[in-house]
């Protein structure tokens, strides 16, 4: 008997939801400070090239696996490679998403708190110490846990409604609002006195300012910014109908991701240069530097609130995909209802996130291999599990999956030529695995 599965109601809904999954902390928080620390325009150009030639082929691969199997991540590999060990990729994805959520949700909680404080006018104040405010928020147990609980509650509420009425509907509202808010901020930023110096820093490549380490960092940033590696997109594409073109959909998601990175740079660097600040500020750029900058602008509280809400929207749409891969794995066999699994999963993720949330306060002295609980979890997910999952997916689709199914899914719903398919397959067989290995070895500190 054929399973009746939920589906995206439209191509636009799928693209916006997939773009929402990709556009999150990496694009809006990590990308600007990584660009600032690695030379500006040259880093951005390298990032774009890697996103197109490495990230895009990987995204297409996850779409093909998901729609080809019409199953969520765990059972997709079982279906496409029965009686084999390849199911470990899906299980690795579920574990990875769970661990990622355990610290991603902590940052989401900080953004919830900052958004609430900003909307009530309690961030920008005369003689405010923004560094001390950030330390207070992340170091106070009830604040850290309270923000975490609110962030996860929003996720659970949306995911209870499923794909079409939950994730897709939320993304259709949140993603357009994200772009509207971004455009408002960009217009305000580039009209400041001295803003063009920041625009030039971001858009004028100076290759003498980027190092080999910066190039590898750009590769990692481009690759991980598309939410590939944990089979989130396998799960999302399993709800996609055969009439939609996978290469075109993936191209739209990549284009939106690059656009958001462009807007993030244009929103932040003109402001930083206009006020004579240092672009290579690092991770504190969002929570410490930007409040300092906005406090010196007319209607600064309004613009800071807009930016934080924008950041919250992007973080939520990404966390939806992480939670969905866990929920879908446990509801696939129909033994448990979506409502029950979603509520239980939300509670378990909250409990698992407590050590990371408290690692800047009461658990500050607890270390794992010299790192805090938060940083150790981040390192395990970003530097080990994600590259490993990505490499396994590249090998699976290139050498294990039935190539007739791969080609059918690649060309279904479009008039994509055989030549384009062969070019994509060449990238996946030879270029992408080698590139992932380089990033993997570099992230572990061997080069």
């Amino acid at each position: 008997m054929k399973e009746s599965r939920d589906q995206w109601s439209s191509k636009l809904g799928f693209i916006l939801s997939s773009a929402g999954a990709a556009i999150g902390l990496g694009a809006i928080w990590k990308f600007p400070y990584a660009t600032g620390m690695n030379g500006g325009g040259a880093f951005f150009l390298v990032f774009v090239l890697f996103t197109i030639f490495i990230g895009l082929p990987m995204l297409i691969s996850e779409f093909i696996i998901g729609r080809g199997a019409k199953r969520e991540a765990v059972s997709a590999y079982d279906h496409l490679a029965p009686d084999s060990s390849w199911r470990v990729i899906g299980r690795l994805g579920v574990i990875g998403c769970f661990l990622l959520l355990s610290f991603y949700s902590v940052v989401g909680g900080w953004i919830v708190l900052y958004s609430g404080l900003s909307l009530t006018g309690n961030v920008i104040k005369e003689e405010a110490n923004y560094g001390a405010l950030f330390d207070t928020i992340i170091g106070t147990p009830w604040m850290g846990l309270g923000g975490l609980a609110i962030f996860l509650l929003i996720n659970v509420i949306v995911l209870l409604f499923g794909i079409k009425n939950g994730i897709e509907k939320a993304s259709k509202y949140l993603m357009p609002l994200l772009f509207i808010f971004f455009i408002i901020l960009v217009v305000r930023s580039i009209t400041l006195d001295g803003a063009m110096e920041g625009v030039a820093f971001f858009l004028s490549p100076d290759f003498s300012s980027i190092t080999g380490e910066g190039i590898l960092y750009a590769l990692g940033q481009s690759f991980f910014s598309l939410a590939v590696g944990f089979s989130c997109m396998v799960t999302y594409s399993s709800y996609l109908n055969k009439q939609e073109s996978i290469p075109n959909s993936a191209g739209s998601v990549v284009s939106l991701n690059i656009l958001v990175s462009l807007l993030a740079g244009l929103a932040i660097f003109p402001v930083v240069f206009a006020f004579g600040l240092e672009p290579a500020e690092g991770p504190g750029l969002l929570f410490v530097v930007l409040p300092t900058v906005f406090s010196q602008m007319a209607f600064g509280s309004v613009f800071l609130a807009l930016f934080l809400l924008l950041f919250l929207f992007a973080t939520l749409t990404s966390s939806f995909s992480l939670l969905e891969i866990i929920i879908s794995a446990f509801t696939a066999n129909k033994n448990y209802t979506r409502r029950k699994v979603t509520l239980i999963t939300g509670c378990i993720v909250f409990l698992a996130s407590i050590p990371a949330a408290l690692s800047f306060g009461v658990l500050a002295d607890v270390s794992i291999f010299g790192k805090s609980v938060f940083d150790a979890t981040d390192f395990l997910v970003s530097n080990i599990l994600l590259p490993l999952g990505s490499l396994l997916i590249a090998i699976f689709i290139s050498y294990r999956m039935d190539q007739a199914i791969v080609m059918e899914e690649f060309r279904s719903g479009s008039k994509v030529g055989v030549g384009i398919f062969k070019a994509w397959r060449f990238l996946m067989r030879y270029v992408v695995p080698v590139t992932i290995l380089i990033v993997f070895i570099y992230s572990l500190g061997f080069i």
Side-chain angles (χ1 to χ4, degrees), residues 139 148 238 261 309:
L148 168 66
S238 71
S261 298
L309 284 173

Side-chain angles (χ1 to χ4, degrees), residues 15-56:
I15 289 173
L16 289 178
S17 299
S18 299
I23 298 166
L25 290 177
I28 299 178
W29 177 41
K30 195 173 182 181
F31 172 77
Y33 81 70
T35 303
M37 295 173 70
N38 290 281
F43 180 88
F44 179 55
L45 179 59
V46 173
F47 161 78
V48 170
L49 292 175
F50 280 139
T51 300
I52 293 171
F53 291 105
I54 303 298
L56 177 58

